[in-house]
Amino acid sequence: MSPGPWAVLAWAALLLAIVVSFRPAVPVIWGDTPSFVESALRTLEAGRPTVAGGRDPGYPAFLAVTFAFGGDLGTVVRLQQAAWAVLMLALAATAHAATRNAGGLVPIILVATYPGLLLFRNVLTAELLFAVFLNLATAGLLVATCVGKTARCCAVAASVLWAALAACFRSQGILVPIVAIVVGARLARPDTSARLAVIAVSVAAALALLAVGSRFVASDSDQASVVFVPKTLFCNHLNIVLASDAARREIVSAAGDSADVTMARLAADFAAEPGRWSVLGFFGDACLFDTALDRDVAGGAGNAAGAAAAYRRIFLAAVRDRPLAYAGKFVRQMAYGVSVAWPAYGLDPAIPVSTDDVPHVSDMMMRHGRAAQPIDLQGEPVRIGLLSDLPGISAYLFRALSTAFVIAVMFWTVTAVRRRRPGFVTRAGIVLVMWAVSIVTAAGAHTLDVWRYLIPAVPMVGLMLSLFAVELAEITMADHAARSATIRRAMPSGPGSGSSVS
């Protein structure tokens, strides 16, 4: 068959996977949902980004806009499903453009059937929309390598804006717009005033988005939001804090007369569920949700700002005192991230839900004058469908793809060191850099010992596999053609070349 029919078949398979995967627009409540909904309702009432429970402002702003236009939680899910479909189509178009081969769509088709990503279309949390903007930013940079100079500048400009939006939905992705600007500038190399203006305007717009929609400028509406970032740093490095003499002295100084009680509380938090997060080595949430600890480190005053300053000061003292321990934790988490680049997550046939939070969200909506209909809140598991109905097959399939990704990274490294095939090295390098910066901040500040922190990176791993598969196929065919040519040259030819037997 010619390449045309193969491309049509691949696109038809992708569209079929998208259509079949759709499920009813039933909102699913998870543990983070109440904080997002509360932040959205306060944002709507205040008319500016306002966060509660330590959430980032991007998703609450999305919810607030939906509510402002008369939508409900079901509308939110329908918009998330539409955003997911747009992302899949955009990734497929990017893979096709970058590889010029219909085979490049196969990994994207597998992404479209991956339950670990599909489940987030129904869940009321920021994961899916962060994934959409993060991967659109990556796709924009890849498209920039395939088009002319003017279109390249436009693709880079769009990528920078999408990267800034991703950072608004999750502040752990704050490095993404920075890297998008640096990589985009190298790709675009604007050589006219018009092209330079396009890049400059996109960078200015990205900075404006971050200035009004990032965590760093959103107003905190509760104590949990005020202390969230420094307390997360403190609690997820509790092993380093307790092992550091300098940090312990800071704790004693901050706690004052309650120093002994505070140290006992920290020891208890550290000992809670030691096997829960294997890479981290302890259960950081025991400390993070210990609200009494805020009062202790603030000297009993209960001042959220004072507690936040104390957590920050103690964490910095621990890192200065034990830099190698901090670096070791970071390396272990990044190694874990590479080993599960395509994690077998979310392969159960139904989405787990937080039934305890369903009445909480319902009461919250009614308190703010937005009563939720019974169908709006899901208290029973929602079936994902497709490959989630075959969890055994799914596990083997996506573990094999994870292995293929690691092989692809090694192949890219060897190719880059040997300075061969620059087109592949550039495009795959873009994917790897964007994948790494999307999780490197989490490794430095949080923990990657929860698989769902890697879920947003999954679609761009599909792009990496598309590039790798087509590149490997082209190299194999080229080597086969070269061997065939060598054999033909070595074979004797002409009428006198044969031997005769008398």
Side-chain angles (χ1 to χ4, degrees):
M1 292 179 67
S2 65
W6 281 115
V8 172
L9 182 61
W11 277 100
L14 175 65
L15 292 174
L16 179 63
I18 291 174
V19 171
V20 174
S21 70
F22 275 99
R23 287 295 181 268
V26 179
V28 173
I29 306 302
W30 270 16
D32 293 340
T33 301
S35 296
F36 279 121
V37 174
E38 180 71 20
S39 299
L41 294 171
R42 295 187 183 184
T43 294
L44 188 61
E45 293 170 355
R48 57 192 172 93
T50 305
V51 295
R55 300 302 101 198
D56 291 300
Y59 192 66
F62 166 71
L63 295 178
V65 171
T66 304
F67 295 156
F69 282 93
D72 55 14
L73 297 179
T75 307
V76 171
V77 175
R78 283 187 284 272
L79 291 173
Q80 290 182 174
Q81 291 181 343
W84 170 83
V86 169
L87 175 62
M88 292 300 107
L89 294 174
L91 291 179
T94 301
H96 203 176
T99 62
R100 305 292 180 184
N101 191 313
L105 271 66
V106 175
I108 308 303
I109 295 171
L110 293 174
V111 167
T113 62
Y114 178 45
L117 184 66
L118 287 172
L119 65 88
F120 285 108
R121 297 178 310 170
N122 284 72
V123 177
L124 295 176
T125 187
E127 304 288 345
L128 181 83
L129 293 180
F130 174 70
V132 168
F133 291 115
L134 171 63
N135 288 277
L136 285 179
T138 305
L141 293 176
L142 282 180
V143 169
T145 67
C146 311
V147 295
K149 286 188 175 181
T150 301
R152 188 181 309 161
C153 287
C154 294
V156 167
S159 176
V160 169
L161 291 175
W162 285 324
L165 284 169
C168 292
F169 278 82
R170 175 177 286 176
S171 57
Q172 290 174 357
I174 191 61
L175 292 180
V176 173
I178 297 173
V179 171
I181 291 172
V182 173
V183 174
R186 290 180 61 85
L187 289 175
R189 297 184 184 275
D191 52 1
T192 67
S193 57
R195 292 169 185 163
L196 182 61
V198 170
I199 301 298
V201 168
S202 69
V203 172
L207 293 175
L209 278 173
L210 294 174
V212 300
S214 69
R215 173 191 292 278
F216 308 103
V217 295
S219 60
D220 298 316
S221 58
D222 61 359
Q223 177 166 323
S225 296
V226 174
V227 303
F228 184 78
V229 172
K231 191 175 184 181
T232 297
L233 293 169
F234 172 90
C235 291
N236 284 322
H237 300 86
L238 195 54
N239 56 334
I240 302 173
V241 168
L242 294 179
S244 166
D245 291 336
R248 292 170 71 92
R249 286 195 297 269
E250 288 289 348
I251 294 172
V252 171
S253 174
D257 295 338
S258 61
D260 292 339
V261 174
T262 303
M263 296 302 296
R265 186 185 301 281
L266 288 173
D269 290 344
F270 183 71
E273 302 183 75
R276 181 74 172 268
W277 287 353
S278 56
V279 174
L280 191 61
F282 57 94
F283 186 44
D285 281 6
C287 166
L288 190 62
F289 294 115
D290 187 347
T291 55
L293 186 62
D294 300 344
R295 182 189 62 250
D296 291 345
V297 299
N303 186 330
Y311 286 131
R312 189 178 298 108
R313 188 170 61 253
I314 296 166
F315 167 72
L316 292 176
V319 172
R320 285 194 299 266
D321 190 36
R322 297 296 183 102
L324 293 181
Y326 177 76
K329 171 186 176 293
F330 181 89
V331 170
R332 285 196 307 273
Q333 291 192 129
M334 289 302 292
Y336 175 85
V338 171
S339 69
V340 290
W342 200 314
Y345 175 86
L347 299 182
D348 295 329
I351 304 175
V353 299
S354 176
T355 53
D356 293 341
D357 288 317
V358 171
H360 185 189
V361 174
S362 181
D363 292 342
M364 186 185 303
M365 296 286 286
M366 287 188 291
R367 260 198 334 269
H368 289 269
R370 295 183 174 272
Q373 299 298 321
I375 196 174
D376 285 341
L377 301 175
Q378 179 65 26
E380 298 295 331
V382 175
R383 295 188 66 80
I384 305 171
L386 291 178
L387 292 182
S388 64
D389 292 323
L390 304 169
I393 295 175
S394 295
Y396 285 114
L397 172 62
F398 291 109
R399 285 170 187 161
L401 290 172
S402 182
T403 303
F405 172 72
V406 174
I407 294 172
V409 172
M410 293 188 293
F411 176 83
W412 175 84
T413 303
V414 172
T415 306
V417 169
R418 298 176 68 178
R419 299 178 181 276
R420 295 184 176 180
R421 309 187 76 85
F424 167 73
V425 170
T426 298
R427 289 167 186 161
I430 290 171
V431 177
L432 288 177
V433 167
M434 294 294 281
W435 177 80
V437 299
S438 70
I439 62 174
V440 69
T441 311
H446 209 277
T447 175
L448 295 183
D449 205 1
V450 178
W451 285 353
R452 71 187 181 96
Y453 280 103
L454 288 174
I455 293 299
V458 170
M460 66 174 67
V461 171
L463 285 174
M464 180 65 183
L465 292 178
S466 295
L467 296 168
F468 170 63
V470 172
E471 192 71 17
L472 194 61
E474 290 179 355
I475 290 175
T476 302
M477 289 188 293
D479 288 346
H480 177 73
R483 285 195 299 269
S484 299
T486 301
I487 293 173
R488 285 195 299 271
R489 286 195 299 270
M491 292 178 62
S493 59
S497 63
S499 61
S500 62
V501 178
S502 54

